[in-house]
Amino acid sequence: MRALIQRVLEAKVVVDGETTGEIQNGLLVFLGIGRDDTLAIGQKLIDKILKYRIFDDEQGKMGWNVSQANGGVLLVSQFTLMAQTQKGLRPDFGPAMPPSDAKALYEQLVEYTRSQFENVQTGIFAADMKVHLINDGPVTFNLEVEA
């Protein structure tokens, strides 16, 4: 499982002209789910994301997590993160979990994230999403966890 996280001043997801999720200060999280990923792996990644210290503390250092920064989380499914790109000129999406299984796991992870953190917004799984953001920094990290 992979997450591309971006510290944002604001972010929103628009589907068919309607905003489905929107945050101000916080984390935009693009989440890629692989074939062998499980709920336990996803929970481990979500826990890491919520505790990851990339917000400025009183000393101006990256010492605070999203909760300490009074931020929100915008969680967006992103199967393209699982692509193999080392060979050739076309991404190989074979490592991604099949959509029906991935949707169920994504929904479980949304529920888990909401049980751990108050301000969670989302996109819509497999929709044609337009993601708007103002990256703060820019600060972007690629996080992965394994079983």
Side-chain angles (χ1 to χ4, degrees), residues 50-98:
L50 294 176
K51 293 175 185 172
Y52 213 65
R53 297 180 302 162
I54 63 171
F55 293 89
D56 292 346
D57 60 18
E58 304 93 357
Q59 288 80 38
K61 302 205 186 274
M62 289 187 183
W64 284 351
N65 61 39
V66 67
S67 178
Q68 292 167 310
N70 295 314
V73 172
L74 178 55
L75 193 58
V76 178
S77 62
Q78 179 84 41
F79 85 99
T80 60
L81 282 177
M82 299 312 297
Q84 288 183 347
T85 58
Q86 296 81 359
K87 296 180 185 176
L89 299 176
R90 182 182 301 219
D92 173 7
F93 297 112
M97 184 177 281

Side-chain angles (χ1 to χ4, degrees):
M1 191 169 294
R2 293 182 186 140
L4 181 73
I5 64 172
Q6 297 183 314
R7 186 178 74 185
V8 297
L9 296 176
E10 60 185 61
K12 70 178 177 178
V13 175
V14 177
V15 177
D16 295 329
E18 292 190 31
T19 299
T20 64
E22 183 172 15
I23 62 167
Q24 296 303 308
N25 173 55
L27 291 176
L28 172 58
V29 178
F30 292 106
L31 186 66
I33 301 173
R35 284 194 173 277
D36 298 326
D37 287 332
T38 64
L39 179 58
I41 291 170
Q43 289 171 331
K44 187 175 174 182
L45 182 58
I46 295 298
D47 290 343
K48 183 174 185 174
I49 291 166
L50 294 176
K51 293 175 185 172
Y52 213 65
R53 297 180 302 162
I54 63 171
F55 293 89
D56 292 346
D57 60 18
E58 304 93 357
Q59 288 80 38
K61 302 205 186 274
M62 289 187 183
W64 284 351
N65 61 39
V66 67
S67 178
Q68 292 167 310
N70 295 314
V73 172
L74 178 55
L75 193 58
V76 178
S77 62
Q78 179 84 41
F79 85 99
T80 60
L81 282 177
M82 299 312 297
Q84 288 183 347
T85 58
Q86 296 81 359
K87 296 180 185 176
L89 299 176
R90 182 182 301 219
D92 173 7
F93 297 112
M97 184 177 281
S100 61
D101 296 331
K103 181 178 182 181
L105 182 51
Y106 171 75
E107 290 172 354
Q108 289 177 309
L109 290 172
V110 169
E111 286 180 34
Y112 177 75
T113 307
R114 287 183 170 145
S115 76
Q116 302 300 305
F117 191 74
E118 186 174 310
N119 184 7
V120 179
Q121 299 290 311
T122 66
I124 296 177
F125 187 89
D128 181 17
M129 295 179 274
K130 308 304 181 206
V131 180
H132 304 256
L133 68 129
I134 298 177
N135 193 315
D136 183 17
V139 174
T140 303
F141 293 96
N142 184 29
L143 303 181
E144 293 185 49
V145 296
E146 297 177 6

